[in-house]
Amino acid sequence: MPPKDSQDETLKWGESPWTIDFKVRRRAFPESVDFAIVGAGFTGLAAAAWLRRLAPEESVAVFEADRIGAGASSRTGGMALAESAAGDLPGLGNVLGGLERILAELDIDCDLSLPGAFEIGRGKALKDSPIQWNDSGTLRVVKKVPGGTLDPGKLVAGLARVADERGATIIESHPVTQIEWQPRPVVHAVAPVVVHAGGSQCSAGKILFATNALALELTALAGRAEPKLTLAVLTEPIGQKRLEAIGLAGGNPFYTVDLPYLWGRCLRDGSVIFGAGLVDADDSRDLTQIDITGGDAKNLFESIERRIHNLHPELREIKITHRWGGPILFRENWRPIFMPHPQSKSAIVLGAYAGHGVALSVYLGAWAAEALLGRRKLPSWGSLSK
Ligand SMILES: Cc1cc2nc3c(=O)[nH]c(=O)nc-3n(C[C@H](O)[C@H](O)[C@H](O)COP(=O)(O)OP(=O)(O)OC[C@H]3O[C@@H](n4cnc5c(N)ncnc54)[C@H](O)[C@@H]3O)c2cc1C
């Protein structure tokens, strides 16, 4: 009997427009695995699929508190952005090229399209800026950078399908509540970590924490990185003529480089996601208690919607069909966290991509798989001491 799932808590974050069209097979809870992954978002699922691709002889289990994609990965805007929120980092490599390669090798179609992303701002604009919006000044395109969009529901489903088909065990509705750190044994047949998930136990040789803004007490990040709920809305389909008028007919996602912040993208049916606004939380528990229908979130949604209606005359009467929020984690210097867990060299913590995690989570999830197999080092910039 699985434990009570936490879906009822996350539902207070509203509904995103994405559909995850993959049902995880019910499997027996494993007693022991070579690799345990905590969290089934983009990071955890990409790591699981990549581990099984590289080392099919090693056993892998993914423990998920709720459903696959229940955190940020099914709530994201799905803009695929280059580099990291802190820009390029030493040895990071080509994130978008890496994403394309990983998707091709895993045979995942998630509507990835990379026409370039618009950086928009109130400063010096490109001469041919297709965007001219009214939002605390005039917003125009100031730079076109590598990037594009994908369908996050299809990406979660695709990663889970490949991980499952390749033999990783995905266990939903089993929140990991505790890790027993064992001393590394002399005889390596005994596993060094015991994962307690939903009342059952599993021994694991190595572990990847891919819980991002959630379960900060497990990743030892409480007080060392900032969890927040970030908000987004979807408009009704607005039609090709209106998309052309507002400068979004080319399918380029956009984000501001100055404040007030605004980001967004179109969907295939001509609806548009706009995002802005952060609700503060002291810790992960606080984050899961936020109800987007009240408090700060309600005020922020009203403000976003006012801004959207005023951006352009063509948007004045547009209806908003979805409001939702999702968890996001910030590190002080905006670099991702990618480091050994303070308790054990056999455990890796990966996350804190800020609003830049769609391409990066898959790219670094595959990197984490290689690091768990001892085939690649962790980057110097991923550690909190750097
Ligand atoms: C509204 C929103 C819009 C965004 N837009 C963009 C964008 O357009 N472009 C971009 O690049 N980035 C964007 N981001 C960021 C990006 O979506 C995230 O960085 C990325 O999805 C993180 O993936 P993840 O797998 O690391 O974390 P998550 O998807 O949050 O996955 C963590 C998983 O861990 C599970 N979990 C938590 N605690 C436990 C536990 N104790 N035991 C087991 N499982 C547990 C959760 O249920 C969850 O499924 C956005 C984020 C949000 C919220």
Side-chain angles (χ1 to χ4, degrees):
M1 185 66 186
K4 177 184 175 315
D5 74 48
S6 52
Q7 189 87 332
D8 51 344
E9 281 192 335
T10 52
L11 277 179
K12 291 181 199 150
W13 293 344
E15 292 282 334
S16 79
W18 312 118
T19 303
I20 299 175
D21 197 7
F22 177 77
K23 213 168 155 22
V24 172
R25 262 186 279 180
R26 259 267 177 83
R27 303 237 208 179
F29 191 94
E31 279 179 18
S32 162
V33 288
D34 296 307
F35 299 104
I37 296 172
V38 188
F42 297 146
T43 304
L45 292 171
W50 207 245
L51 268 170
R52 290 290 301 179
R53 178 186 165 275
L54 295 180
E57 68 287 0
E58 307 277 0
S59 53
V60 177
V62 184
F63 299 101
E64 165 55 46
D66 196 312
R67 301 277 180 267
I68 52 169
S73 298
S74 68
R75 301 170 175 280
T76 179
M79 297 188 291
L81 303 173
E83 303 180 340
S84 77
D88 197 12
L89 296 165
L92 177 63
N94 179 352
V95 175
L96 289 175
L99 172 69
E100 284 185 294
R101 180 177 53 86
I102 293 163
L103 294 178
E105 289 194 22
L106 297 179
D107 194 20
I108 293 173
D109 179 5
C110 57
D111 300 343
L112 176 66
S113 153
L114 296 172
F118 290 151
E119 290 192 344
I120 58 176
R122 287 113 186 143
K124 194 169 179 302
L126 296 185
K127 274 208 192 85
D128 56 350
S129 168
I131 286 179
Q132 179 139 346
W133 296 344
N134 169 39
D135 184 38
S136 302
T138 305
L139 272 177
R140 296 193 191 89
V141 179
V142 296
K143 199 174 173 191
K144 191 171 167 188
V145 296
T149 56
L150 53 72
D151 181 321
K154 289 188 181 173
L155 180 55
V156 169
L159 290 168
R161 177 183 47 78
V162 175
D164 176 80
E165 279 172 5
R166 289 181 179 249
T169 303
I170 302 172
I171 307 278
E172 293 183 308
S173 304
H174 278 68
V176 171
T177 48
Q178 190 200 337
I179 304 291
E180 263 178 62
W181 302 101
Q182 316 270 323
R184 181 162 267 288
V186 183
V187 183
H188 60 258
V190 185
V193 177
V194 180
V195 179
H196 293 250
S200 305
Q201 289 182 32
C202 173
S203 311
K206 290 193 177 175
I207 182 164
L208 172 67
F209 292 96
T211 52
N212 202 32
L214 300 164
L216 294 180
E217 65 293 347
L218 281 183
T219 49
L221 292 177
R224 306 173 83 194
E226 277 192 55
K228 301 205 184 278
L229 200 79
T230 188
L231 308 179
V233 300
L234 179 73
T235 70
E236 64 183 328
I238 67 172
Q240 190 61 20
K241 256 177 74 186
R242 279 203 182 112
L243 284 175
E244 274 163 25
I246 66 170
L248 294 182
N252 310 84
F254 58 87
Y255 56 88
T256 49
V257 290
D258 49 20
L259 297 173
Y261 194 60
L262 187 71
W263 60 268
R265 61 163 291 185
C266 300
L267 272 64
R268 288 194 157 180
D269 66 357
S271 54
V272 186
I273 292 178
F274 289 94
L278 295 170
V279 184
D280 290 329
D282 284 340
D283 52 34
S284 313
R285 175 92 200 126
D286 218 25
L287 199 60
T288 60
Q289 297 301 307
I290 295 172
D291 178 347
I292 64 149
T293 61
D296 290 348
K298 183 168 180 279
N299 297 336
L300 285 166
F301 278 121
E302 283 165 8
S303 153
I304 300 168
E305 291 174 17
R306 245 191 331 270
R307 286 171 67 194
I308 294 167
H309 287 133
N310 283 325
L311 280 180
H312 192 281
E314 291 288 351
L315 296 177
R316 189 89 63 216
E317 307 290 329
I318 287 304
K319 289 195 183 63
I320 303 296
T321 60
H322 294 61
R323 280 181 172 188
W324 73 97
I328 191 164
L329 189 64
F330 294 91
R331 176 181 171 187
E332 206 181 359
N333 61 12
W334 293 73
R335 295 177 174 190
I337 294 170
F338 193 8
M339 62 177 195
H341 192 286
Q343 294 281 345
S344 168
K345 286 206 169 80
S346 299
I348 293 175
V349 178
L350 174 56
Y353 314 110
H356 225 92
V358 167
L360 206 50
S361 56
V362 175
Y363 180 73
L364 297 184
W367 184 331
E370 292 166 21
L372 288 168
L373 290 167
R375 300 185 191 178
R376 198 165 176 188
K377 287 199 168 129
L378 297 184
S380 58
W381 41 259
S383 159
L384 278 179
S385 56
K386 303 281 168 175

